[in-house]
Amino acid sequence: MRPGADMNSMRSISLPRLRVVLALTAPALLGACDIPGLGPDPRIAQREEEAKAIGGACRYAMRGIEDCYANNPKASKAAIFAGWKDMDGYMRENKIDGIPANGSAAGSDAEEASAPASDAGTAVKK
């Protein structure tokens, strides 16, 4: 028996097995790898969360969804609506009443709408 023949036969057997083992373990090892720059930009996620918070705050302040869109033109309308809808469901589920916003455009519109009605009522009474 030649010593070189045994090494060649062993090398031919172990090399394919090693390749198979590497081929099966490499995806598992690289799948858990966190490569910088390949994930979503954290600023985008932050903007989405801020827009959801704006929507929730608008709902709690009893503002209409259209007013929220108008007051926050840079925020995503879809995220504002998602936050508004989540807060609406939460408030209905827990029977929470909203608090009207002070000094907002919606509040001043409500005051203006009530002022002519009271003026018209006093004019009729005289």
Side-chain angles (χ1 to χ4, degrees):
M1 195 181 223
R2 291 185 313 172
D6 288 333
M7 287 300 279
N8 287 336
S9 65
M10 181 181 259
R11 195 178 304 152
S12 66
I13 292 173
S14 64
L15 192 56
R17 285 185 185 171
L18 181 63
R19 287 180 183 166
V20 170
V21 170
L22 286 175
L24 293 175
T25 58
L29 293 174
L30 292 176
C33 187
D34 194 18
I35 301 172
L38 293 182
D41 189 8
R43 292 175 289 184
I44 294 172
Q46 182 181 6
R47 279 188 228 132
E48 291 292 317
E49 291 300 318
E50 286 177 1
K52 281 185 177 182
I54 289 169
C58 284
R59 174 57 185 101
Y60 186 71
M62 297 174 48
R63 290 187 185 139
I65 191 72
E66 295 84 12
D67 293 336
C68 283
Y69 294 154
N71 292 337
N72 303 289
K74 291 184 179 180
S76 166
K77 288 185 179 183
I80 289 175
F81 178 72
W84 195 92
K85 186 177 174 184
D86 289 345
M87 181 58 91
D88 183 59
Y90 177 79
M91 290 174 70
R92 288 176 191 266
E93 182 180 303
N94 294 309
K95 298 178 182 166
I96 298 172
D97 294 328
I99 299 175
N102 294 332
S104 69
S108 63
D109 291 342
E111 291 171 6
E112 291 172 10
S114 65
S118 62
D119 291 341
T122 56
V124 174
K125 289 182 182 179
K126 288 183 182 179

